Amino acid sequence: MRAKLSYAITAAVLVFYFVLVGSRGIMLIQSGTLLTVTFGVAVLILPVIGMWFLWKNTQFVRRANALAAELDAEGGLPVDELRRTPSGRIDRDSADEVFAKRKAETEDAPGDWRSWFRLAIAYQDARDTPRARKAMQRAIALHPSLRLNRRRSRGAG
């Protein structure tokens, strides 16, 4: 719950920032000189890119949470079998052992979104965030209902 609240607050602050920057861009355009119009258009591009990024990231988080909820309902979430240091951090060797198991599981069932989901968690535990995100994107792409929803949203636009 804390992570969701943190994400919501961060998103709200970003939207406020985008609105603020966008209003400054419009003010620059309204000045009417070649230089200010050019800067105004450049400034307006930043909130557009930011909103697109925020939207895509929010979709990713919602889909990943939907997979987690479904896997939890099935009893398929990975059990935390990681050793921890006295400070509470994950032991690197332990994370590598679990990662090796998850990778083998995914290689045995490359078309199963569940194995890709568990691999994404193993990557995250091993502190490899870019690969964790790619594995989670793969899990989302393999999930039948999320794949169907993506096709519908593409067809509607």
Side-chain angles (χ1 to χ4, degrees), residues 1 13 15 69 117 136:
M1 187 63 184
V13 168
V15 169
F117 183 93
M136 188 60 73

Side-chain angles (χ1 to χ4, degrees), residues 36-114:
T36 60
V37 169
T38 304
F39 278 138
V41 170
V43 166
L44 282 177
I45 290 172
L46 295 174
V48 169
I49 292 170
M51 288 298 284
W52 174 83
F53 179 78
L54 182 61
W55 173 252
K56 294 305 270 183
N57 198 47
T58 301
Q59 283 182 318
F60 173 77
V61 168
R62 291 178 78 184
R63 289 175 178 158
N65 285 341
L67 292 184
E70 184 175 334
L71 204 54
D72 186 31
E74 294 175 356
L77 281 178
V79 177
D80 186 0
E81 53 190 299
L82 300 167
R83 292 183 305 276
R84 302 196 186 270
T85 64
S87 65
R89 293 191 73 168
I90 294 172
D91 177 63
R92 184 74 170 175
D93 293 334
S94 176
D96 289 343
E97 289 171 18
V98 171
F99 173 77
K101 286 196 289 188
R102 300 293 179 235
K103 185 175 181 192
E105 175 187 310
T106 305
E107 288 170 349
D108 290 341
D112 182 18
W113 67 267
R114 293 165 188 85

